[in-house]
Amino acid sequence: MPVTAAPTELIPDTGVLIGATRTASTTGGVHHHVYPGDGRATAAVPLGGEAEMDAAVRAAGTALVGWRATAGNVRRDLLLHLAELVERHATELSGLQTLENGCPRQFASVMPTVAVDHLRYNAGWADKIGGAVVPTWPVRAVDYTLDEPYGVVAVIIPWNGPLVSVAQMLAPALAAGNTVVLKPSELAPFTALRLGELALEAGFPPGVVNVVPGGAAGGAALVRHPGVDKVHFTGGGVTARKILADAAERLLPVGLELGGKSAHIIFGDADVRMAARLAMTGVVALSGQGCANGTRVLAHSSVYDEVLRTLAARLARVPLGDPADERTLMGPVVSESACHRILAVVERARDQGDGRLVTGGVRLGGDLGDGYFIAPTVFAEVDPASELAQEEIFGPVLAVTAFDTEEEAIRLANGTRYGLGAYLHTTDLRTAHRVSRAVAAGSVWVNGVPGVLPSAPFGGVRQSGWGRIGGEAGVREFLRPKNVWIAT
Ligand code: NAD
């Protein structure tokens, strides 16, 4: 069946949103957005350049004066109102999400709910931010802290899940009293723009949320702007290094949420079929284009064959295709160039014998030939030192390796430069607790793949970054304590 045409009627007016004004005439060039499902152009996206970043940062700076002085209960209620509007526009927003990056409707339809949860959770913090009383010695004094916002925060996000990314970053930043210049990726600008409009409709004062889609040049102009007080970046390590280099000029604080090469560790006592089903999500969810996807499988040698058999059999039956079809679980990857990049990794692995190709490794043709569909791909007996095991491929490629002992599993799991997540599969609680402590990861999930929870801190160690989103730590990411000491 041919792929359903993209719902282009959902696309909001394109152009940047600065203060309360939409402007389509920009200095950063134009990106021609393409629907990944069928490779057809949908809209010309005007990109922000230096001039628009400057205007947006100024607008955010002007709005900051009133916003940081706005009472916490008012900030709370505005975030709750935005959550309500996201709920009301859920169908439109999930449709936009599918259009932007080809995310299947089945996943996209859950995203507004996730975004709403992040907004409401962080709304609950807005009226609880204060400070603490501090004991002093040897001199008696009254000492207390004031939790203050940074000021103007530049939030730079990738294309793989903009609706959730925007909610995850915007909600704590605003709850903490910062104003924001949000720069979505040029590949997926629509949801962020729509959320910017909804923020105005919810009653946020103009300038508190500014949305300026842009590419690398626009992003760099934003980071270099002297009016920015903090950068919160979600994306890849290569970009992170450039941002850090720019930020170093002004010693600008930067939060980083980066990529990963998270492992599913399947112990011999695990419910193997369940574990293999959960491990499948590493390639199926967002077609492997999720930072926390478990794209390595480390299986105990006693269950290795069964894990592989189950993976191969289930992946062969995964409903893959038209993102608009409600039965579809796996859609396309984001672009033609992503297709080439991912298939080049597969080719290199085959040429170099880095592992044994069990299934997939090809681009799909026929009715799907105009889109960017790659069959779910599994390599077995993967060399832990190989590109397949070490690099974030950001596509539907799973690397499976056997282990014999717990020590070996931990060594393999920790044997990359990343440290975003780890998925443990075991029926022994002692193993779960012991290995949770031993793995180098910002999050450990045992016997489940719950996604990023609003209430729990999520972020990386090592080259997966150093920011935290979610929970109290997520709000603290956008606050800094000021200490006040008064002699008594
Ligand atoms: P990317 O690094 O190419 O781009 C991310 C954002 O940075 C985009 O908005 C891009 O326009 C902007 N950018 C590019 N060059 C810039 C520069 N010099 N200065 C400022 N901004 C610049 O990443 P991507 O391809 O959009 O996303 C994929 C990556 O994001 C993967 O590595 C993935 O793991 C990571 N990611 C991490 C998380 C997390 O929470 N840890 C979540 C989602 C995605």
Side-chain angles (χ1 to χ4, degrees), residues 320-346:
L320 190 166
D322 186 359
D325 187 327
E326 271 163 12
R327 289 160 302 183
T328 298
L329 259 185
M330 190 171 163
V333 297
V334 71
S335 64
E336 182 75 35
S337 68
C339 250
H340 289 301
R341 183 180 51 72
I342 295 160
L343 291 172
V345 176
V346 170

Side-chain angles (χ1 to χ4, degrees), residues 19-94:
T21 310
R22 291 297 291 271
T23 315
S25 149
T26 61
T27 60
V30 171
H31 173 74
H32 296 279
H33 177 267
V34 165
Y35 178 49
D38 61 11
R40 286 173 198 241
T42 67
V45 181
L47 300 179
E50 237 171 83
E52 292 72 35
M53 293 304 170
D54 179 53
V57 174
R58 284 172 190 276
T62 304
L64 180 66
V65 181
W67 183 243
R68 63 178 294 163
T70 299
N73 63 319
V74 177
R75 295 203 300 269
R76 175 199 67 200
D77 289 348
L78 286 170
L79 281 164
L80 291 175
H81 192 188
L82 178 58
E84 197 185 307
L85 290 178
V86 170
E87 218 160 37
R88 207 181 298 159
H89 291 271
T91 309
E92 173 198 352
L93 290 166
S94 64

